[in-house]
Amino acid sequence: MAGSKLDSGVSGALNSTTPLFTLVIGAGFFGNKITKRQSFGIVLGFIGAILLILAGATGFHVNGYALFVIAATLLYGINLNITKKYLTGLGIDSFLITSCIFMTIGPIAAGVLFSTDFISKLQEPNAIQALVFAMLLGILGSAIAMVLFNRLIQMTSAVLASSVTYLIPIVAILWGVIDGEAILFQHYLGMSIILIGVYLVNKS
């Protein structure tokens, strides 16, 4: 929903708040330690996220769809901590973890899909091409990426694994520029503040 209403560069930058939520959830509910420097980084990250939420082409206004991205990154933070604490210690293979996830959400996703006009949309020109791209996105961007990500969680800490989201704003901005999206000064400012905050959170 957010992806259809926000520029990809902004969505990507907001995704980089994942390490911040991972740290906060870990400290609040999983007994992880949090330093003053990390606390400062968290504050900076949220300031940057607020800037992005308020940034608009005609000044500053609240973009409610940005809150969906924030909600998603909060859930990522919960997921990372649960996976690290309860699944990594059991020695469960990352492929099996990912398979269980998709077997759980598959029927739900199918129910949502077939409650829409999906079948009739397939009759439109270029529908098959769009379906192939959606399948590639699901296979490469979700399934395979999640197997690798779950393996990374097993090999490192939840906060360090979440740091892969550093790359999301960079990739998202590049695709946004290629796609002709307008990237404003306040977007760059917000993204820079978020990345500084995330750096402080993860700095050893």
Side-chain angles (χ1 to χ4, degrees):
M1 192 177 292
S4 66
K5 300 295 183 180
L6 289 174
D7 285 347
S8 57
V10 175
S11 294
L14 287 171
N15 260 286
S16 66
T17 58
T18 299
L20 308 178
F21 281 118
T22 303
L23 187 70
V24 170
I25 296 296
F29 299 96
F30 292 86
N32 298 340
K33 302 285 187 183
I34 184 169
T35 66
K36 288 182 179 179
R37 186 193 65 247
Q38 289 175 320
S39 299
F40 182 62
I42 291 170
V43 172
L44 275 183
F46 281 115
I47 290 172
I50 289 169
L51 278 175
L52 288 178
I53 290 170
L54 296 177
T58 57
F60 284 90
H61 69 281
V62 175
N63 190 330
Y65 288 97
L67 298 176
F68 286 114
V69 183
I70 296 295
T73 58
L74 171 64
L75 294 173
Y76 292 157
I78 295 170
N79 170 52
L80 279 157
N81 281 289
I82 290 174
T83 301
K84 182 63 180 178
K85 182 166 184 177
Y86 297 110
L87 297 182
T88 300
L90 297 175
I92 300 174
D93 182 71
S94 58
F95 184 81
L96 179 59
I97 294 172
T98 307
S99 299
C100 290
I101 291 169
F102 281 97
M103 285 176 63
T104 303
I105 65 173
I108 299 170
V112 172
L113 177 66
F114 289 107
S115 68
T116 67
D117 57 351
F118 170 69
I119 299 298
S120 62
K121 287 283 186 184
L122 286 178
Q123 311 304 317
E124 296 182 5
N126 300 320
I128 300 301
Q129 182 186 30
L131 180 61
V132 169
F133 282 125
M135 290 172 64
L136 283 174
L137 181 62
I139 294 167
L140 298 175
S142 294
I144 294 175
M146 190 170 288
V147 171
L148 297 174
F149 190 57
N150 284 328
R151 179 63 183 144
L152 184 62
I153 296 171
Q154 292 175 332
M155 294 169 61
T156 64
S157 70
V159 174
L160 184 61
S162 69
S163 297
V164 298
T165 53
Y166 293 164
L167 298 174
I168 294 177
I170 299 168
V171 175
I173 289 170
L174 290 174
W175 278 113
V177 169
I178 292 170
D179 199 37
E181 294 177 356
I183 307 296
L184 308 175
F185 170 74
Q186 52 264 43
H187 292 144
Y188 286 113
L189 179 62
M191 286 184 272
S192 300
I193 292 173
I194 287 174
L195 291 177
I196 291 169
V198 174
Y199 169 76
L200 290 174
V201 164
N202 286 273
K203 186 175 181 294
S204 61

